[in-house]
């Protein structure tokens, strides 16, 4: 399995806190951000050079929850459809409230080995506004190489992830599949509904349809949160305007 950096525990706690909707504002400690580069510089500089460390990674069951926080649910349970500018807005409902999350594919760059690196942004409309950015290597099985969180006025921070977007240990075991009907909303119609069972016995119900762009995921429902697609478009632009402070991989990682 991947050997996450020593700081990953704190990063995941930060990510989980940012990903849960809040009912009131919080006052973070001000930090001076670095100068803002161009959007293309963000894509080029925020990610480690070279290929992912271990494309055959396996996640131990004891680290599954920690690792699951590093792959956004619509990406984990969907299939990335990489059309630059495409966005999908989800309503994210959790125990602490609800928020809109706009997932958008906003950048791409071709590497020397011919692979394509995509910049995927998830903009959480909450207080403080939170931007989660994933750099994903495209292909038959997209690979999440790095993840960053930006919560103004803090400088954004990124860590190596090195997990497949469809990592089976994180998805869980598929236990049921059926065709159902979504009766309301912009993606109404017949859909495929899949149920996965995670390592702790928890069920995750995923509804998929090609009518939803970017991931093909209409909804993801588990015991802690629910994602439901509400609308989509094709005019997304990058929101990340500062190169994240990158935590490097540990020696031997």
């Amino acid at each position: 399995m991947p050997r996450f950096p020593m700081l990953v525990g704190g990063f995941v706690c930060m990510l989980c806190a940012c990903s849960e909707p809040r009912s009131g504002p919080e006052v973070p400690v001000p930090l001076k951000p670095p100068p803002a580069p161009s959007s293309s510089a963000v894509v080029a500089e925020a990610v480690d050079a070279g290929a992912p460390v271990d494309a055959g990674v396996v996640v131990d069951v004891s680290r599954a929850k920690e690792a699951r926080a590093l792959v956004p649910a619509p990406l984990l349970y969907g299939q990335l459809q990489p059309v630059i500018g495409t966005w999908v807005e989800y309503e994210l409902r959790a125990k602490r409230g609800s928020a809109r999350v706009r997932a958008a594919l906003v950048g791409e760059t071709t590497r020397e080995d011919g692979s394509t690196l995509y910049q995927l942004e998830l903009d959480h409309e909450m207080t403080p506004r939170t931007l989660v950015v994933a750099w994903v290597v495209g292909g038959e099985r997209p690979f999440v190489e790095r993840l960053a969180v930006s919560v103004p006025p803090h400088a954004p921070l990124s860590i190596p992830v090195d997990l497949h977007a469809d990592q089976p240990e994180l998805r869980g075991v598929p236990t049921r599949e059926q065709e159902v009907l979504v009766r309301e909303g912009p993606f109404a119609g017949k859909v495929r509904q899949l149920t996965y069972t995670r390592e702790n016995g928890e069920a995750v119900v995923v509804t998929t349809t090609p009518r939803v762009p970017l991931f093909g995921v209409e909804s993801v429902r588990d015991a802690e949160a629910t994602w439901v697609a509400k609308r989509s478009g094709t005019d997304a632009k990058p929101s990340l305007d500062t190169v994240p402070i990158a935590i490097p991989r540990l020696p031997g990682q």
Side-chain angles (χ1 to χ4, degrees):
M1 66 168 295
R3 292 184 288 277
F4 300 115
M6 293 179 64
L7 293 179
V8 72
F11 185 91
V12 171
C13 289
M14 175 185 176
L15 177 60
C16 292
C18 293
S19 297
E20 289 191 16
R22 300 179 178 87
S23 56
E26 297 181 3
V27 181
V29 178
L31 294 176
K32 183 179 180 181
S38 66
S39 298
S40 60
V42 172
V43 175
E45 296 179 33
V47 183
D48 288 328
V53 174
D54 183 4
V57 67
V58 175
V59 179
D60 186 86
V61 64
S62 65
R63 308 278 301 271
K65 184 175 182 179
E66 175 187 349
R68 192 173 290 122
L70 302 176
V71 183
L75 177 60
L76 176 61
Y77 289 101
Q79 179 60 51
L80 183 64
Q81 302 164 34
V83 178
I84 302 302
T86 299
W87 59 269
V88 181
E89 186 178 89
Y90 286 90
E91 180 182 11
L92 172 59
R93 297 192 296 267
K95 296 177 181 178
R96 297 177 62 181
S98 63
R100 296 279 177 163
V101 181
R102 178 166 151 158
L105 199 66
V106 297
E108 66 178 342
T109 184
T110 302
R111 289 177 160 173
E112 292 183 359
D113 63 1
S115 63
T116 303
L117 184 70
Y118 296 102
Q119 182 169 319
L120 175 67
E121 296 185 346
L122 290 95
D123 189 356
H124 295 64
E125 295 183 4
M126 55 176 57
T127 303
R129 198 175 189 95
T130 301
L131 181 68
V132 177
V133 184
W135 286 274
V136 184
V137 180
E140 185 176 344
R141 294 189 66 198
F143 195 82
V144 183
E145 196 167 277
R146 289 192 76 90
L147 192 75
V149 173
S150 176
V151 184
H154 297 280
L157 178 70
S158 79
I159 62 168
V161 174
D162 298 333
L163 292 169
H164 287 291
D166 64 348
Q167 194 78 26
E169 302 95 316
L170 307 187
R171 279 186 168 187
V173 179
T175 53
R176 186 181 183 185
E177 180 176 348
Q178 60 182 335
E179 189 177 83
V180 299
L181 182 65
V182 173
R183 298 184 181 279
E184 299 179 349
F187 307 109
K190 290 184 178 180
V191 298
R192 188 173 63 150
Q193 189 176 84
L194 302 97
T195 300
Y196 295 85
T197 302
R198 291 177 176 168
E199 69 283 347
N200 59 358
E202 176 185 300
V204 184
V205 179
V206 182
T207 301
T208 65
T209 172
R211 292 189 296 277
V212 181
L214 197 53
F215 308 112
V217 171
E218 188 272 338
S219 63
V220 179
R221 294 176 169 86
D222 62 28
E224 297 183 354
T226 298
W227 298 70
V228 179
K230 294 298 184 180
R231 61 193 185 112
S232 63
T234 58
D235 57 351
K237 303 295 183 183
S239 296
L240 184 66
D241 58 4
T242 302
V243 175
I245 299 172
I247 297 176
R249 292 182 173 89
L250 295 176
Q253 187 179 16

